Amino acid sequence: MNTSAVGGDVFFVLVGAILVFAMHGGFAFLEVGTVRHKNQVNALVKILVDFALSTVAYFFVGYAFAYGTTFFVSAATLSGGGEGFELQGLTLVKFFFLTTFAAAIPAIISGGIAERMKFWPQCLATVALVGIVYPLFEGIVWNGNFGFQAWLEAQFGAGFHDFAGSVVVHAVGGWIAFSAVLLLGARMGRFDRNGRPIGIPPSSLPWLAMGSWMLCVGWFGFNVMTAGSLEGVSGLVAINSLMAMVGGILAALVVGKNDPGFVHNGALAGLVAVCAGSDVMHPVGSLIVGGVAGAIFVTGFEFCQSKLKIDDVLGVWPLHGICGAWGGIAAGIFGLEALGGLGGVALMSQIIGTVAGTAYAAAAGFVVYGVLKSVMGLRLSQEEEHMGADLSIHKISSNPEYDLGR
């Protein structure tokens, strides 16, 4: 490749990394708008600290687990195209891009465990998840590690196709969160003595909406720029992302009976589901996939809270865990040439890959959070939870002047 071509790819991937990094602000404000005022500062701090810890863990350990490359070489080698590194630091911006994906795992989990989780155990969980748990599965799917993809291709004619992470990122994060929420238990006052849910409304719908908008905008970097180069970029990914997003919005609007929280999360449900097959599906197929995801989120959230009595604050298990799994399977349906897709996918590979990812994530979540629970505990004390994570952990509220009566 000539210098201008490499420089164009560096800039392309860098812009993608910046867009996905901005999504973490979306995660933060989505949580800020959903949790009560006494936990808003904690939501903001968690997402930012988790990103920092994720970067360090992925730089020193996780990236090597996934791709077999370490950064313990000279800066000249890193940026100049030495063995294992592309020219002009292209490998480095790809690392930045993939780091923003890896950091989405604790950002997803944060929404499920909000308002009652201790701070430092979650920090340790982030290091373990991003340093070891996530990159092991990432490497299996995206780098062909351990022969799993080769076996699927030999058996069914195609490997597990997950272009931008419906399963690798979203379902894995959602099912780890499912395990964490079960081990953590419900918030104080979430259910009455008879197990009936007591409503805790969002603290700020404008903040929630802004979080959703930030995520939606950044998601086009998440999906489109997964191509990794200007030569590989496809407008099909962009239009499929758009159609899935609007499908999720409209389905959530109808099934959720105009509820604004469902509408704004419906957009995210559609985007979660389309990640896997956004490069192979027809736009009409993407619209259907997103619409089904929007309906799945609404019904899944209500089932989770009312029937299963699971206090998943932001509904991250139905949003990322279940909609991500649907997206993994849907790629094997709507990616088929018979349904207008580009082909190159096998439904059985999609089912096996999806089931393997969700099972692995749920088991890993129980191990990581189970060990932390036994060693140092997961929950704030009743007094701390009643006070709120802002004051009990960070010693300041989101509106300190108001609290002081000034």
Coordinates of all heavy atoms in Angstrom, one line a residue, residues 212-297:
S212 N -29.5 7.9 24.4 CA -29.9 7.1 23.3 C -29.4 7.8 22.0 O -28.9 7.1 21.1 CB -31.4 7.0 23.3 OG -31.8 6.3 22.1
W213 N -29.6 9.1 21.9 CA -29.1 9.8 20.6 C -27.6 9.6 20.4 O -27.1 9.4 19.3 CB -29.5 11.3 20.7 CG -30.9 11.6 20.3 CD1 -32.0 11.8 21.0 CD2 -31.4 11.6 18.9 NE1 -33.1 12.1 20.3 CE2 -32.8 11.9 18.9 CE3 -30.8 11.4 17.7 CZ2 -33.6 12.0 17.8 CZ3 -31.6 11.5 16.5 CH2 -32.9 11.8 16.6
M214 N -26.9 9.8 21.5 CA -25.4 9.7 21.4 C -25.0 8.3 20.9 O -24.1 8.1 20.1 CB -24.7 10.0 22.7 CG -24.8 11.5 23.1 SD -24.1 11.8 24.8 CE -22.4 11.5 24.4
L215 N -25.7 7.3 21.5 CA -25.4 5.9 21.1 C -25.8 5.7 19.6 O -25.0 5.1 18.9 CB -26.2 4.9 22.0 CG -25.6 4.8 23.4 CD1 -26.6 4.1 24.4 CD2 -24.3 3.9 23.4
C216 N -26.9 6.2 19.2 CA -27.3 6.0 17.8 C -26.4 6.6 16.9 O -26.0 6.0 15.8 CB -28.7 6.6 17.6 SG -30.1 5.7 18.4
V217 N -25.9 7.8 17.1 CA -25.0 8.5 16.2 C -23.7 7.7 16.2 O -23.1 7.4 15.1 CB -24.7 9.9 16.7 CG1 -23.6 10.6 15.9 CG2 -26.0 10.8 16.5
G218 N -23.1 7.4 17.3 CA -21.8 6.7 17.4 C -21.9 5.3 16.8 O -20.9 4.7 16.3
W219 N -23.1 4.7 16.7 CA -23.3 3.3 16.3 C -22.9 3.2 14.8 O -22.5 2.1 14.3 CB -24.7 2.8 16.5 CG -24.8 1.4 16.9 CD1 -24.4 0.3 16.3 CD2 -25.3 1.0 18.2 NE1 -24.6 -0.8 17.0 CE2 -25.1 -0.5 18.2 CE3 -25.8 1.6 19.3 CZ2 -25.6 -1.2 19.3 CZ3 -26.2 0.8 20.4 CH2 -26.1 -0.6 20.4
F220 N -23.0 4.3 14.0 CA -22.6 4.2 12.6 C -21.1 4.0 12.5 O -20.6 3.5 11.5 CB -23.2 5.4 11.8 CG -24.7 5.3 11.7 CD1 -25.5 5.8 12.6 CD2 -25.2 4.6 10.6 CE1 -26.9 5.7 12.5 CE2 -26.6 4.5 10.4 CZ -27.4 5.0 11.4
G221 N -20.4 4.5 13.5 CA -18.9 4.2 13.5 C -18.7 2.8 14.0 O -17.9 2.1 13.4
F222 N -19.5 2.3 14.9 CA -19.4 1.0 15.4 C -19.6 -0.1 14.3 O -18.8 -1.0 14.2 CB -20.5 0.8 16.5 CG -20.4 -0.4 17.4 CD1 -19.9 -0.2 18.7 CD2 -20.8 -1.6 17.0 CE1 -19.8 -1.3 19.5 CE2 -20.7 -2.7 17.9 CZ -20.2 -2.6 19.1
N223 N -20.6 0.2 13.5 CA -20.9 -0.8 12.4 C -20.1 -0.5 11.1 O -19.4 -1.4 10.6 CB -22.4 -0.8 12.1 CG -23.2 -1.5 13.2 OD1 -22.7 -2.0 14.1 ND2 -24.5 -1.5 13.0
V224 N -20.2 0.7 10.6 CA -19.7 0.9 9.3 C -18.1 0.8 9.3 O -17.5 0.2 8.4 CB -20.1 2.3 8.8 CG1 -19.4 2.7 7.5 CG2 -21.6 2.4 8.6
M225 N -17.5 1.3 10.3 CA -16.0 1.4 10.3 C -15.4 0.1 10.9 O -14.2 0.0 10.9 CB -15.6 2.6 11.1 CG -15.9 3.9 10.3 SD -15.8 5.4 11.2 CE -15.9 6.6 9.9
T226 N -16.2 -0.9 11.2 CA -15.7 -2.2 11.4 C -15.0 -2.8 10.2 O -14.2 -3.7 10.3 CB -16.8 -3.2 11.9 OG1 -17.3 -2.8 13.2 CG2 -16.4 -4.6 12.0
A227 N -15.3 -2.2 9.0 CA -14.6 -2.6 7.8 C -13.1 -2.5 7.9 O -12.4 -3.3 7.3 CB -15.1 -1.8 6.6
G228 N -12.6 -1.5 8.7 CA -11.2 -1.4 8.9 C -10.4 -0.8 7.9 O -9.2 -0.6 8.0
S229 N -11.0 -0.4 6.7 CA -10.2 0.2 5.7 C -11.2 0.9 4.7 O -12.4 0.6 4.6 CB -9.4 -0.8 4.9 OG -10.3 -1.6 4.1
L230 N -10.7 1.9 4.0 CA -11.5 2.6 3.0 C -11.9 1.7 1.9 O -13.0 1.8 1.3 CB -10.7 3.8 2.4 CG -10.5 5.0 3.4 CD1 -9.5 6.0 2.8 CD2 -11.8 5.7 3.7
E231 N -11.0 0.8 1.5 CA -11.3 -0.2 0.5 C -12.4 -1.1 0.8 O -13.2 -1.5 0.0 CB -10.0 -1.0 0.1 CG -10.2 -2.0 -1.0 CD -9.0 -2.8 -1.3 OE1 -8.0 -2.6 -0.6 OE2 -9.0 -3.5 -2.3
G232 N -12.5 -1.5 2.1 CA -13.5 -2.4 2.5 C -14.9 -1.8 3.0 O -15.8 -2.6 3.2
V233 N -15.0 -0.5 3.1 CA -16.2 0.1 3.6 C -17.3 -0.1 2.7 O -17.2 -0.1 1.4 CB -15.9 1.6 3.9 CG1 -15.8 2.4 2.6 CG2 -17.1 2.2 4.7
S234 N -18.5 -0.2 3.2 CA -19.7 -0.5 2.4 C -20.9 0.4 2.9 O -21.2 0.4 4.1 CB -20.1 -2.0 2.5 OG -21.4 -2.2 2.0
G235 N -21.5 1.0 1.9 CA -22.7 1.8 2.2 C -23.9 0.9 2.6 O -24.8 1.3 3.3
L236 N -23.8 -0.4 2.3 CA -24.9 -1.3 2.7 C -25.0 -1.4 4.2 O -26.1 -1.5 4.8 CB -24.6 -2.7 2.1 CG -25.6 -3.8 2.4 CD1 -27.0 -3.5 1.8 CD2 -25.1 -5.2 1.9
V237 N -23.8 -1.4 4.9 CA -23.8 -1.5 6.3 C -24.5 -0.3 6.9 O -25.2 -0.4 7.9 CB -22.3 -1.6 6.9 CG1 -22.3 -1.6 8.4 CG2 -21.7 -2.8 6.3
A238 N -24.3 0.9 6.3 CA -24.9 2.1 6.8 C -26.4 2.1 6.7 O -27.1 2.4 7.7 CB -24.3 3.3 6.1
I239 N -26.9 1.7 5.5 CA -28.3 1.7 5.3 C -29.0 0.7 6.1 O -30.1 0.8 6.6 CB -28.7 1.6 3.8 CG1 -30.1 2.0 3.6 CG2 -28.4 0.2 3.3 CD1 -30.4 3.4 3.8
N240 N -28.3 -0.5 6.3 CA -28.9 -1.6 7.1 C -29.0 -1.1 8.6 O -30.0 -1.4 9.3 CB -28.1 -2.8 7.0 CG -28.4 -3.6 5.7 OD1 -29.4 -3.4 5.1 ND2 -27.5 -4.5 5.3
S241 N -28.0 -0.4 9.1 CA -28.0 0.1 10.4 C -29.1 1.1 10.6 O -29.9 1.0 11.6 CB -26.7 0.8 10.8 OG -25.6 -0.1 10.6
L242 N -29.3 2.0 9.6 CA -30.4 2.9 9.7 C -31.8 2.3 9.7 O -32.6 2.6 10.5 CB -30.3 3.9 8.5 CG -31.4 4.9 8.3 CD1 -31.3 5.9 9.5 CD2 -31.3 5.6 7.0
M243 N -32.0 1.3 8.8 CA -33.3 0.6 8.8 C -33.6 -0.2 10.0 O -34.7 -0.2 10.5 CB -33.3 -0.3 7.5 CG -33.2 0.5 6.2 SD -34.5 1.7 6.0 CE -35.9 0.7 5.5
A244 N -32.6 -0.8 10.6 CA -32.8 -1.6 11.8 C -33.1 -0.7 13.0 O -34.0 -1.0 13.8 CB -31.6 -2.4 12.1
M245 N -32.4 0.5 13.0 CA -32.7 1.5 14.1 C -34.1 1.9 14.0 O -34.8 1.9 15.0 CB -31.7 2.6 13.9 CG -31.9 3.7 15.0 SD -30.9 5.2 14.7 CE -31.9 5.9 13.4
V246 N -34.6 2.3 12.8 CA -36.0 2.9 12.8 C -37.0 1.8 13.0 O -38.1 2.0 13.5 CB -36.2 3.6 11.4 CG1 -35.3 4.8 11.3 CG2 -36.1 2.7 10.2
G247 N -36.7 0.5 12.6 CA -37.5 -0.6 12.8 C -37.7 -0.8 14.3 O -38.8 -1.1 14.8
G248 N -36.6 -0.7 15.1 CA -36.7 -0.9 16.5 C -37.5 0.2 17.2 O -38.3 0.0 18.1
I249 N -37.3 1.5 16.7 CA -38.1 2.6 17.2 C -39.6 2.4 17.0 O -40.4 2.5 18.0 CB -37.7 3.9 16.6 CG1 -36.2 4.3 16.9 CG2 -38.6 5.0 16.9 CD1 -35.7 5.4 16.1
L250 N -40.0 2.0 15.8 CA -41.4 1.9 15.5 C -42.1 0.7 16.2 O -43.2 0.8 16.7 CB -41.6 1.8 14.0 CG -41.2 3.0 13.2 CD1 -41.3 2.8 11.7 CD2 -42.0 4.3 13.6
A251 N -41.4 -0.4 16.3 CA -41.9 -1.5 17.0 C -42.1 -1.2 18.5 O -43.1 -1.6 19.1 CB -41.0 -2.8 16.8
A252 N -41.0 -0.6 19.1 CA -41.1 -0.3 20.5 C -42.2 0.8 20.8 O -42.8 0.7 21.9 CB -39.8 0.3 21.0
L253 N -42.4 1.7 19.8 CA -43.5 2.6 20.0 C -44.9 2.0 20.1 O -45.7 2.3 21.0 CB -43.5 3.6 18.8 CG -44.6 4.6 18.7 CD1 -44.5 5.7 19.8 CD2 -44.7 5.3 17.3
V254 N -45.1 1.0 19.2 CA -46.4 0.3 19.2 C -46.5 -0.7 20.4 O -47.5 -0.6 21.1 CB -46.6 -0.4 17.9 CG1 -47.8 -1.3 17.9 CG2 -46.6 0.5 16.7
V255 N -45.5 -1.6 20.5 CA -45.6 -2.6 21.5 C -45.5 -2.0 22.9 O -46.2 -2.4 23.9 CB -44.5 -3.7 21.4 CG1 -44.6 -4.7 22.4 CG2 -44.6 -4.3 20.0
G256 N -44.7 -0.9 23.1 CA -44.5 -0.2 24.3 C -45.6 0.8 24.6 O -45.5 1.5 25.6
K257 N -46.6 1.0 23.7 CA -47.7 1.9 24.0 C -47.3 3.3 24.3 O -47.7 3.9 25.2 CB -48.6 1.3 25.1 CG -49.2 -0.1 24.8 CD -50.0 -0.6 26.0 CE -50.5 -2.0 25.7 NZ -51.2 -2.6 26.9
N258 N -46.4 3.8 23.4 CA -45.9 5.2 23.4 C -45.0 5.5 24.6 O -44.7 6.7 24.8 CB -47.1 6.2 23.4 CG -48.1 5.9 22.3 OD1 -47.6 5.5 21.2 ND2 -49.3 6.2 22.5
D259 N -44.6 4.5 25.3 CA -43.7 4.8 26.5 C -42.3 5.4 25.9 O -41.7 4.7 25.1 CB -43.4 3.5 27.3 CG -42.6 3.7 28.5 OD1 -41.3 4.0 28.3 OD2 -43.1 3.7 29.6
P260 N -41.9 6.5 26.4 CA -40.7 7.2 25.8 C -39.4 6.4 26.1 O -38.5 6.4 25.3 CB -40.7 8.6 26.5 CG -41.5 8.4 27.7 CD -42.6 7.4 27.4
G261 N -39.4 5.7 27.3 CA -38.2 4.9 27.6 C -38.1 3.8 26.7 O -37.0 3.4 26.2
F262 N -39.2 3.1 26.3 CA -39.1 2.0 25.4 C -38.8 2.5 24.0 O -38.0 1.8 23.3 CB -40.5 1.3 25.4 CG -40.8 0.4 26.5 CD1 -42.0 0.3 27.1 CD2 -39.7 -0.3 27.1 CE1 -42.3 -0.6 28.1 CE2 -40.0 -1.1 28.2 CZ -41.2 -1.3 28.7
V263 N -39.3 3.6 23.6 CA -39.0 4.2 22.3 C -37.5 4.4 22.1 O -36.9 4.0 21.1 CB -39.8 5.5 22.0 CG1 -39.3 6.2 20.7 CG2 -41.3 5.2 21.9
H264 N -36.9 5.1 23.0 CA -35.5 5.4 22.9 C -34.6 4.2 23.0 O -33.5 4.1 22.4 CB -35.1 6.5 23.9 CG -35.6 7.8 23.6 ND1 -36.8 8.3 24.0 CD2 -35.0 8.8 22.8 CE1 -37.0 9.5 23.6 NE2 -35.9 9.9 22.8
N265 N -35.0 3.2 23.8 CA -34.3 2.0 23.9 C -34.6 1.1 22.7 O -33.7 0.2 22.3 CB -34.6 1.2 25.2 CG -33.7 1.8 26.4 OD1 -32.6 1.5 26.5 ND2 -34.4 2.6 27.2
G266 N -35.7 1.2 22.1 CA -36.1 0.5 20.9 C -35.1 0.7 19.8 O -34.7 -0.2 19.0
A267 N -34.6 2.0 19.6 CA -33.6 2.3 18.6 C -32.3 1.5 18.9 O -31.7 0.9 17.9 CB -33.3 3.8 18.7
L268 N -32.0 1.4 20.1 CA -30.7 0.7 20.5 C -30.9 -0.8 20.2 O -30.0 -1.5 19.8 CB -30.4 0.9 21.9 CG -30.3 2.4 22.3 CD1 -29.9 2.6 23.8 CD2 -29.3 3.2 21.4
A269 N -32.1 -1.4 20.5 CA -32.4 -2.8 20.3 C -32.2 -3.1 18.8 O -31.6 -4.2 18.5 CB -33.8 -3.1 20.8
G270 N -32.7 -2.3 17.9 CA -32.6 -2.5 16.5 C -31.1 -2.5 16.1 O -30.7 -3.4 15.3
L271 N -30.4 -1.6 16.6 CA -28.9 -1.5 16.3 C -28.1 -2.6 16.9 O -27.2 -3.1 16.2 CB -28.4 -0.1 16.8 CG -28.9 1.1 16.0 CD1 -28.6 2.4 16.8 CD2 -28.1 1.1 14.6
V272 N -28.5 -3.1 18.1 CA -27.8 -4.2 18.6 C -28.0 -5.5 17.7 O -27.0 -6.2 17.4 CB -28.4 -4.6 20.0 CG1 -28.0 -6.0 20.5 CG2 -27.8 -3.6 21.0
A273 N -29.2 -5.7 17.3 CA -29.6 -6.9 16.5 C -28.9 -6.9 15.1 O -28.6 -7.9 14.6 CB -31.1 -7.0 16.4
V274 N -28.8 -5.7 14.5 CA -28.3 -5.6 13.1 C -26.8 -5.8 13.0 O -26.2 -6.0 11.9 CB -28.7 -4.3 12.4 CG1 -27.8 -3.1 12.8 CG2 -28.8 -4.5 10.9
C275 N -26.0 -5.6 14.1 CA -24.6 -5.6 14.0 C -24.0 -6.9 13.3 O -23.2 -6.8 12.5 CB -24.0 -5.6 15.4 SG -24.1 -4.0 16.3
A276 N -24.6 -8.0 13.7 CA -24.0 -9.3 13.1 C -24.1 -9.4 11.6 O -23.2 -9.8 10.9 CB -24.7 -10.5 13.8
G277 N -25.3 -9.0 11.1 CA -25.5 -9.2 9.6 C -25.6 -8.0 8.8 O -26.1 -8.0 7.7
S278 N -25.1 -6.9 9.4 CA -25.3 -5.6 8.7 C -24.6 -5.5 7.4 O -24.9 -4.7 6.5 CB -24.8 -4.4 9.6 OG -23.5 -4.6 10.0
D279 N -23.6 -6.4 7.2 CA -22.8 -6.3 5.9 C -23.4 -7.3 4.9 O -22.9 -7.3 3.7 CB -21.4 -6.7 6.2 CG -21.2 -8.1 6.8 OD1 -22.0 -8.5 7.5 OD2 -20.1 -8.7 6.5
V280 N -24.4 -8.1 5.2 CA -24.8 -9.1 4.3 C -26.4 -9.1 4.0 O -26.9 -9.7 3.1 CB -24.4 -10.6 4.7 CG1 -22.9 -10.7 4.7 CG2 -25.0 -10.9 6.1
M281 N -27.1 -8.4 4.9 CA -28.5 -8.4 4.8 C -29.1 -7.3 3.8 O -28.4 -6.3 3.5 CB -29.2 -8.2 6.1 CG -28.9 -9.3 7.1 SD -29.9 -9.3 8.6 CE -29.4 -7.8 9.4
H282 N -30.3 -7.5 3.3 CA -31.0 -6.5 2.5 C -31.6 -5.5 3.5 O -32.0 -5.8 4.6 CB -32.1 -7.2 1.7 CG -32.7 -6.3 0.7 ND1 -33.7 -5.4 1.0 CD2 -32.5 -6.1 -0.7 CE1 -34.1 -4.7 0.0 NE2 -33.4 -5.1 -1.1
P283 N -31.7 -4.2 3.1 CA -32.3 -3.2 4.0 C -33.7 -3.6 4.5 O -34.0 -3.3 5.6 CB -32.3 -2.0 3.1 CG -31.2 -2.1 2.2 CD -31.1 -3.6 1.9
V284 N -34.5 -4.3 3.7 CA -35.8 -4.7 4.1 C -35.7 -5.7 5.2 O -36.4 -5.7 6.2 CB -36.7 -5.2 3.0 CG1 -38.0 -5.8 3.5 CG2 -36.9 -4.1 2.0
G285 N -34.7 -6.6 5.0 CA -34.5 -7.6 6.1 C -34.0 -7.0 7.4 O -34.4 -7.4 8.5
S286 N -33.2 -5.9 7.2 CA -32.7 -5.2 8.4 C -33.8 -4.5 9.1 O -33.8 -4.5 10.4 CB -31.6 -4.2 8.0 OG -30.5 -4.9 7.5
L287 N -34.7 -4.0 8.4 CA -35.9 -3.3 9.0 C -36.7 -4.3 9.8 O -37.1 -4.0 10.9 CB -36.8 -2.7 7.9 CG -38.1 -2.0 8.3 CD1 -37.7 -0.7 9.1 CD2 -38.9 -1.7 7.1
I288 N -36.9 -5.5 9.3 CA -37.6 -6.6 10.0 C -36.8 -7.0 11.2 O -37.4 -7.1 12.3 CB -37.9 -7.8 9.1 CG1 -38.8 -7.4 7.9 CG2 -38.5 -8.9 9.9 CD1 -38.9 -8.4 6.8
V289 N -35.5 -7.2 11.1 CA -34.7 -7.6 12.2 C -34.8 -6.6 13.3 O -34.9 -6.9 14.5 CB -33.2 -7.8 11.8 CG1 -32.3 -8.0 13.0 CG2 -33.1 -9.1 10.9
G290 N -34.7 -5.3 13.0 CA -34.7 -4.2 14.0 C -36.1 -4.2 14.6 O -36.2 -4.0 15.8
G291 N -37.2 -4.3 13.8 CA -38.5 -4.3 14.4 C -38.8 -5.4 15.3 O -39.3 -5.2 16.4
V292 N -38.3 -6.6 15.0 CA -38.4 -7.8 15.9 C -37.7 -7.5 17.2 O -38.1 -7.7 18.3 CB -38.0 -9.1 15.3 CG1 -37.9 -10.2 16.3 CG2 -38.9 -9.4 14.1
A293 N -36.5 -6.9 17.1 CA -35.7 -6.6 18.3 C -36.4 -5.6 19.2 O -36.3 -5.7 20.4 CB -34.3 -6.0 17.8
G294 N -37.0 -4.5 18.6 CA -37.7 -3.6 19.4 C -38.8 -4.2 20.2 O -39.0 -3.9 21.4
A295 N -39.6 -5.1 19.5 CA -40.6 -5.8 20.2 C -40.1 -6.8 21.3 O -40.6 -6.9 22.4 CB -41.5 -6.6 19.2
I296 N -38.9 -7.4 21.0 CA -38.3 -8.3 22.0 C -37.9 -7.5 23.2 O -38.1 -8.0 24.3 CB -37.0 -9.0 21.3 CG1 -37.5 -10.1 20.4 CG2 -36.1 -9.6 22.4 CD1 -36.3 -10.7 19.6
F297 N -37.3 -6.3 23.0 CA -36.9 -5.6 24.2 C -38.1 -5.2 25.1 O -38.0 -5.4 26.3 CB -36.2 -4.3 23.7 CG -35.9 -3.4 24.9 CD1 -35.0 -3.7 25.9 CD2 -36.6 -2.2 25.1 CE1 -34.8 -2.9 27.0 CE2 -36.4 -1.4 26.2 CZ -35.5 -1.8 27.2

